[in-house]
Amino acid sequence: MSYFNSNEKNVLQFPNPELKQLFQHMNNPIVIYELDQSEKNAKFIQINEATCNITGYTEEQLINLSPATLFGDTESFFQYQTELVKEKRLVTENFIHTTQSKLLPIEINAQIIANRNNKYIILAFIRDVSKRKHVATMLVKRTKQFESLFYYNPNIIFTLNATGEFASMNPAGFELLQYEKNELIGTHYQILVDKEDIAHTNQQFKKIISGYSTQFEQITWSKLGDRYELQITAVPIIIEEEITGVIGIAQDITSENRTKQLLEESQQRYKSLFDNNIDMVASFDMEENLTDVNQATEDMTGYKKSQLIGKKFSQLCPENEQDRVKLLLENASDGQPMRFETSIMHKEGSIIHIHITVIPIVIDEKIIGMHCIIKNTTEHKKLTDQLNYIAYHDHLTALPNQRSFEVDFDQVIAHASKMKDKFAIIFLDLDRFKVINDSLGHSQGDSLLKKVAKRLKSVRTEKITVYRYGGDEFILLIQETNQHALKQFAEKLLNLLVTPYQMDKLEIVSTPSMGISIYPDDGVDKSTLIKNADNAMYHAKRIGKSNFQFYQEQLPKKVYGDTELETLLRKAIEREEFFLVYQPQINAITGHIDGVEALIRWENNIYGLIGPNDFIPLAEETGLIIPIGEWVLRNACSQAKQWQVDGMKPFSVSVNLSIRQFYQDNLPTVIEDILTKTELDPQYLVLEITESMAMDSTIASNVLQQLKNIGVKISIDDFGTGYSSLNYLKKFPIDYLKIDQSFVQDLSTDKDDREIIESIIMLGKKLGIGLIAEGVETADHVDFLKNLACNVLQGYYYSKPIAAEQVPGFIQESAFSND
């Protein structure tokens, strides 16, 4: 019905309890089922309470029951599906199998509301017609028409005088009850009624004679003793405003025959049925002029009968519908009954959606006009529109969803192919979203997704559509474009999304990585274009995130999926596929090495070198980051101690902690155990955490204090890129702030970056916290940071990450003075 999410049991899920209750508590049964495109397999996916009530099955039983088994017989069901697929919407009558092994007659109003994954999603409204009035009224001008209907009607039609004696009965009644005419006419109705039903039937008769219509069931016995269950619909006969008797239709529901009765003894009798119909009934001549309407028509339209007579029916419709309705009525005037949907205008201007059945009036083999029976489908259409919205929109962001993208894509590619146009797909993924979601909670993660969606909605145009593809992934479909225009748009979009988001008292930065593929240059089908856009996005992440990349043939391919990568990752430690490299950190005053940062690398025998950006997020998601993190700590500490044993002057080694490691219950114990076994003095171990890991100040403060009690040092990594709240700098025992490389790299050309760095260094100095700048690549970087008295510098200007055995040589060959 998940602008529903999908799961295995229910294709559609309701976005709120109110809509779920509306669906569940509708008076008539409603089901949603799926049909594969072979039109030979169907399966229920949503069933309301009324469906369970009418069939006697539980919801669980029905979900496991094929619609073809429940409705009629299999052959007729799938014949109906074939016609439904052709027509998209279809109304038909059939039987439903109940738990009492009964065949219950029903009317099915079905409509295809979605087509996804080679399956049609079908919404079906079911109406129990076994107990309804089988009355469809027809205004006749000649008694001959009523007599024809009276004598040849398969149901019993009878009239009673004011005292309850039979005044007339049609041949079907005599045949079923096995009485001769002279045996019943003038006889009281009680002769036919079962003794247990006499009191109830008398009560109904008094009600009718008092001027009320009624419908009730009654057990009747024939002359030969056959028992019948009849459903009787009866109304008073009103002639010249005087009730002169009763006219009724009795339907034999013993054998569950369904039929519609046209009953008329005179124009007055016909009018009593016409006026009491709960649906709107109108008659018009061959020129479409209304000649008669019932009370329901007045109620539905707001017009009086006198205002409607002589008015053309199509004039009641909105202007954009009038020509279509007029044409349909002209077709019906050829003699064929017709059903269609349209809308009419209430006198006060509101729109009423209707389903109309048009029946030609044929007298003496000549069509003299038409009757129409009109049902108000406004609520039905509202529910259908809501279900359609749910099916094609994401419930969290209200953006079109993946199903909507698939439908739109087929239309866009067909148009582009015909017009020789180009269009593009932008595959967008939020950087660091999982870290934000894990640290702040799913509710805040959802709030961030809504804020991102709001910004994305602002770029929508007639040619640009935005979809939530899943998780923190979005797709933009851009029509009639080119690479130059796409570059300008992507730059604008990047600038729009990198601006921090206000989340309660925090400012959160969640940058996007985007990949772009263009039709037909990068693919001529959906799967290829999406795959190539995803590949380009993946490349954007590899080269540093927060950027966009166009697809190119030579881009590195993402040749493994998460499942395969996870399997390889689990075996990487035992296969000794991980290794560490170390990037020197230089004291800005002495020019000598102040420490190193340990960085993990993975050399797989199948895929070769796999970057940390590719496997660290998966390791965090699966929990493998715990054993991998311990491996890094153990090996980094062991190596630092080995350098000291080899006679090198002691210096610190920095190790990054993931959010999962940081919130381990036994993290202090694990670190203390590693330091004990490697015999490394705790003062030479620096643990790097990110700002997001410190957002739960109570827990973070406790963990950091336990670590400081061991004697290790704490560094805040990527400072300035996450959150604006600086309270934790005063509360937590922090030794270093590590200035993120994104500020350092552009400081020569970006005034804002220079001011940010100056502010961070000033803040650190005032709080007595050491400063480390990473991403130092040029002499200008070095001069600027030294002038600001930044303590430690790290980057390619001094050295890229090197193997452990290269560190001693680096120390001997390099001494960076302050000259």
Side-chain angles (χ1 to χ4, degrees):
M1 329 188 193
S2 170
Y3 154 125
F4 297 153
N5 289 331
S6 302
N7 60 43
E8 293 180 359
K9 182 175 181 182
N10 296 315
V11 170
L12 302 179
Q13 292 186 350
F14 299 91
N16 57 65
E18 290 80 10
L19 186 56
K20 176 69 174 179
Q21 289 182 357
L22 175 63
F23 177 87
Q24 282 295 335
H25 298 297
M26 288 288 287
N27 291 333
N28 287 335
I30 308 175
V31 299
I32 302 175
Y33 62 92
E34 64 180 18
L35 174 73
D36 66 20
Q37 293 197 349
S38 70
E39 303 170 13
K40 294 299 181 184
N41 291 293
K43 179 182 179 183
F44 285 119
I45 52 179
Q46 280 286 2
I47 293 164
N48 73 345
E49 292 179 0
T51 307
C52 297
N53 294 337
I54 197 174
T55 62
Y57 290 100
T58 65
E59 182 179 356
E60 183 177 358
Q61 289 172 325
L62 286 173
I63 286 293
N64 294 317
L65 192 65
S66 168
T69 304
L70 187 68
F71 296 125
D73 59 84
T74 302
E75 181 177 355
S76 65
F77 176 79
F78 285 113
Q79 286 177 351
Y80 170 67
Q81 302 312 304
T82 298
E83 188 173 359
L84 174 60
V85 169
K86 179 180 177 182
E87 299 295 333
K88 308 304 181 187
R89 176 172 181 174
L90 200 59
V91 178
T92 190
E93 295 183 352
N94 207 327
F95 292 93
I96 193 168
H97 294 274
T98 70
T99 53
Q100 290 79 31
S101 299
K102 288 185 178 180
L103 289 176
L104 184 68
I106 58 169
E107 178 187 86
I108 304 175
N109 188 330
Q111 178 178 351
I112 297 176
I113 63 171
N115 184 350
R116 66 149 194 96
N117 296 333
N118 296 321
K119 292 182 179 179
Y120 300 102
I121 306 301
I122 298 168
L123 173 67
F125 291 82
I126 301 169
R127 185 179 181 189
D128 178 2
V129 296
S130 65
K131 294 182 179 180
R132 73 179 182 184
K133 294 181 180 180
H134 290 272
V135 179
T137 59
M138 180 183 294
L139 177 62
V140 295
K141 295 180 179 179
R142 300 180 183 179
T143 304
K144 179 180 178 180
Q145 182 185 29
F146 166 74
E147 291 175 348
S148 176
L149 291 173
F150 181 82
Y151 285 111
Y152 295 106
N153 199 300
N155 290 325
I156 300 172
I157 301 178
F158 64 91
T159 60
L160 303 174
N161 62 22
T163 58
E165 287 96 18
F166 285 104
S168 66
M169 181 177 289
N170 68 345
F174 293 122
E175 181 179 352
L176 183 70
L177 299 174
Q178 299 168 329
Y179 282 95
E180 296 296 329
K181 183 176 181 180
N182 59 3
E183 292 177 309
L184 277 182
I185 301 303
T187 304
H188 201 277
Y189 64 80
Q190 291 180 355
I191 191 176
L192 302 176
V193 182
D194 187 86
K195 292 180 180 180
E196 293 185 0
D197 280 353
I198 286 179
H200 178 66
T201 303
N202 290 341
Q203 183 182 6
Q204 297 299 317
F205 179 76
K206 290 178 182 179
K207 182 178 179 181
I208 302 165
I209 290 299
S210 299
Y212 296 95
S213 301
T214 187
Q215 185 180 77
F216 62 97
E217 293 183 10
Q218 174 190 287
I219 297 175
T220 297
W221 295 91
S222 74
K223 179 180 177 181
L224 299 181
D226 295 324
R227 181 182 181 276
Y228 294 101
E229 295 178 10
L230 301 180
Q231 183 182 73
I232 299 174
T233 301
V235 297
I237 298 173
I238 305 173
I239 299 177
E240 297 180 356
E241 299 184 356
E242 181 181 354
I243 298 174
T244 62
V246 174
I247 184 168
I249 302 175
Q251 184 182 9
D252 177 13
I253 60 173
T254 307
S255 58
E256 299 181 334
N257 291 325
R258 296 169 292 110
T259 187
K260 291 180 180 180
Q261 301 297 330
L262 298 174
L263 179 63
E264 191 65 62
E265 185 173 271
S266 66
Q267 189 166 352
Q268 288 288 332
R269 293 175 182 145
Y270 167 77
K271 287 294 292 178
S272 70
L273 290 175
F274 183 88
D275 291 337
N276 289 319
N277 198 301
I278 61 174
D279 291 324
M280 175 177 167
V281 182
S283 302
F284 41 86
D285 60 23
M286 295 299 290
E287 283 73 43
E288 197 199 326
N289 300 309
L290 287 164
T291 58
D292 200 2
V293 298
N294 66 349
Q295 182 62 45
T297 305
E298 296 185 66
D299 296 339
M300 187 182 294
T301 63
Y303 291 101
K304 295 296 184 182
K305 182 175 181 178
S306 59
Q307 295 174 302
L308 292 170
I309 300 301
K311 194 180 187 74
K312 292 188 180 297
F313 180 81
S314 59
Q315 292 176 343
L316 296 176
C317 302
E319 288 187 9
N320 61 346
E321 278 286 281
Q322 289 182 6
D323 290 342
R324 184 178 77 93
V325 171
K326 190 172 183 178
L327 179 61
L328 288 168
L329 292 177
E330 287 176 358
N331 293 337
S333 68
D334 291 337
Q336 294 297 323
M338 179 175 293
R339 290 175 176 173
F340 59 91
E341 291 187 350
T342 184
S343 55
I344 58 176
M345 300 286 295
H346 191 273
K347 183 181 180 180
E348 297 182 356
S350 60
I351 298 278
I352 304 168
H353 298 282
I354 60 172
H355 180 272
I356 179 170
T357 301
V358 182
I359 306 169
I361 303 174
V362 182
I363 297 180
D364 293 334
E365 299 182 355
K366 181 180 179 181
I367 301 174
I368 66 168
M370 283 167 278
H371 292 311
C372 63
I373 303 171
I374 301 168
K375 294 184 180 294
N376 187 337
T377 61
T378 303
E379 290 301 317
H380 175 196
K381 187 176 188 303
K382 180 180 178 181
L383 177 59
T384 301
D385 290 346
Q386 287 176 324
L387 291 175
N388 270 317
Y389 183 88
I390 292 169
Y392 289 98
H393 285 79
D394 171 54
H395 75 281
L396 178 66
T397 64
L399 287 172
N401 60 14
Q402 186 175 150
R403 183 184 292 111
S404 181
F405 168 75
E406 292 173 353
V407 172
D408 293 349
F409 182 90
D410 292 340
Q411 297 175 353
V412 169
I413 198 170
H415 176 77
S417 176
K418 180 180 179 180
M419 304 303 294
K420 307 300 181 185
D421 285 334
K422 290 188 176 184
F423 70 87
I425 289 176
I426 297 182
F427 201 106
L428 185 153
D429 183 89
L430 299 180
D431 301 327
R432 303 175 63 251
F433 176 76
K434 187 180 186 309
V435 174
I436 295 170
N437 205 39
D438 288 345
S439 59
L440 297 183
H442 292 292
S443 61
Q444 289 286 61
D446 288 347
S447 179
L448 175 60
L449 288 173
K450 290 179 182 178
K451 291 178 181 294
V452 172
K454 183 177 181 180
R455 292 188 187 179
L456 289 173
K457 290 174 186 177
S458 69
V459 304
R460 294 187 298 189
T461 67
E462 184 180 350
K463 301 298 182 183
I464 301 174
T465 312
V466 182
Y467 308 85
R468 185 185 179 196
Y469 202 66
D472 61 334
E473 296 175 339
F474 299 85
I475 279 185
L476 287 83
L477 188 58
I478 305 175
Q479 302 180 58
E480 299 176 13
T481 188
N482 55 59
Q483 188 162 6
H484 177 70
L486 284 167
K487 184 175 183 296
Q488 291 182 323
F489 175 75
E491 290 172 346
K492 174 185 174 184
L493 187 61
L494 189 62
N495 291 333
L496 176 68
L497 296 180
V498 297
T499 305
Y501 297 88
Q502 190 67 37
M503 304 280 288
D504 294 332
K505 297 180 180 180
L506 305 175
E507 283 189 353
I508 295 179
V509 177
S510 182
T511 58
S513 293
M514 298 181 287
I516 307 172
S517 63
I518 302 173
Y519 170 90
D521 304 348
D522 303 326
V524 294
D525 61 80
K526 180 170 54 186
S527 61
T528 301
L529 287 167
I530 291 178
K531 180 185 71 174
N532 290 341
D534 183 43
N535 228 11
M537 182 275 293
Y538 166 74
H539 182 60
K541 284 189 177 291
R542 283 179 61 97
I543 62 175
K545 305 178 182 179
S546 189
N547 71 97
F548 64 89
Q549 295 292 316
F550 285 91
Y551 173 75
Q552 301 175 48
E553 286 287 342
Q554 64 271 26
L555 283 181
K557 298 295 190 297
K558 190 176 182 180
V559 294
Y560 40 76
D562 286 350
T563 302
E564 182 182 1
L565 188 62
E566 180 182 346
T567 301
L568 296 174
L569 197 56
R570 291 184 181 278
K571 298 179 180 179
I573 294 179
E574 63 184 69
R575 291 178 176 175
E576 298 183 350
E577 293 180 346
F578 291 127
F579 63 94
L580 296 180
V581 292
Y582 301 87
Q583 187 168 34
Q585 298 171 326
I586 306 302
N587 187 296
I589 297 175
T590 66
H592 295 127
I593 192 168
D594 193 76
V596 294
E597 180 179 2
L599 302 167
I600 189 171
R601 297 293 184 263
W602 180 14
E603 182 78 32
N604 180 260
N605 60 1
I606 299 176
Y607 294 115
L609 189 63
I610 301 175
N613 288 340
D614 296 330
F615 69 85
I616 292 297
L618 181 61
E620 291 178 343
E621 181 178 348
T622 59
L624 292 173
I625 195 67
I626 301 300
I628 292 174
E630 290 184 16
W631 181 90
V632 172
L633 279 165
R634 187 177 301 105
N635 281 270
C637 291
S638 177
Q639 182 60 63
K641 180 63 179 179
Q642 185 60 50
W643 284 325
Q644 295 176 16
V645 171
D646 292 342
M648 296 174 61
K649 182 180 179 180
F651 51 82
S652 63
V653 59
S654 297
V655 177
N656 291 279
L657 290 180
S658 75
I659 190 169
R660 278 182 176 264
Q661 286 179 280
F662 186 73
Y663 286 107
Q664 274 182 271
D665 292 338
N666 63 339
L667 176 64
T669 303
V670 170
I671 291 175
E672 195 168 19
D673 180 65
I674 289 174
L675 290 170
T676 300
K677 290 180 178 178
T678 59
E679 299 181 357
L680 179 67
D681 191 322
Q683 67 174 311
Y684 297 117
L685 175 61
V686 180
L687 299 176
E688 294 190 6
I689 66 172
T690 61
E691 292 178 83
S692 60
M693 292 160 62
M695 293 316 298
D696 190 332
S697 59
T698 302
I699 298 177
S701 178
N702 182 49
V703 174
L704 291 173
Q705 193 57 58
Q706 291 182 61
L707 295 175
K708 287 297 293 181
N709 291 341
I710 295 173
V712 302
K713 296 179 180 179
I714 306 296
S715 174
I716 300 294
D717 193 17
D718 298 336
F719 185 76
T721 62
Y723 304 89
S724 62
S725 176
L726 304 178
N727 289 332
Y728 62 84
L729 293 181
K730 295 185 296 182
K731 295 180 180 179
F732 300 156
I734 298 170
D735 298 286
Y736 300 103
L737 294 180
K738 198 167 188 181
I739 303 171
D740 186 70
Q741 61 180 337
S742 63
F743 301 125
V744 175
Q745 288 174 348
D746 295 330
L747 66 83
S748 299
T749 58
D750 194 316
K751 180 176 178 293
D752 290 338
D753 282 349
R754 291 196 296 273
E755 291 178 351
I756 290 172
I757 293 174
E758 289 174 357
S759 299
I760 294 174
I761 292 177
M762 184 182 300
L763 177 66
K765 297 295 183 183
K766 287 185 176 182
L767 295 176
I769 300 174
L771 282 304
I772 302 173
E774 60 180 347
V776 179
E777 297 182 353
T778 68
D780 287 342
H781 293 168
V782 174
D783 292 340
F784 180 83
L785 292 165
K786 282 185 176 182
N787 288 336
L788 292 176
C790 182
N791 304 105
V792 179
L793 309 179
Q794 176 183 344
Y796 275 36
Y797 178 80
Y798 295 106
S799 174
K800 65 180 180 179
I802 57 179
E805 57 268 22
Q806 294 176 289
V807 171
F810 172 83
I811 294 174
Q812 291 177 0
E813 297 173 6
S814 304
F816 300 91
S817 69
N818 200 30
D819 297 336

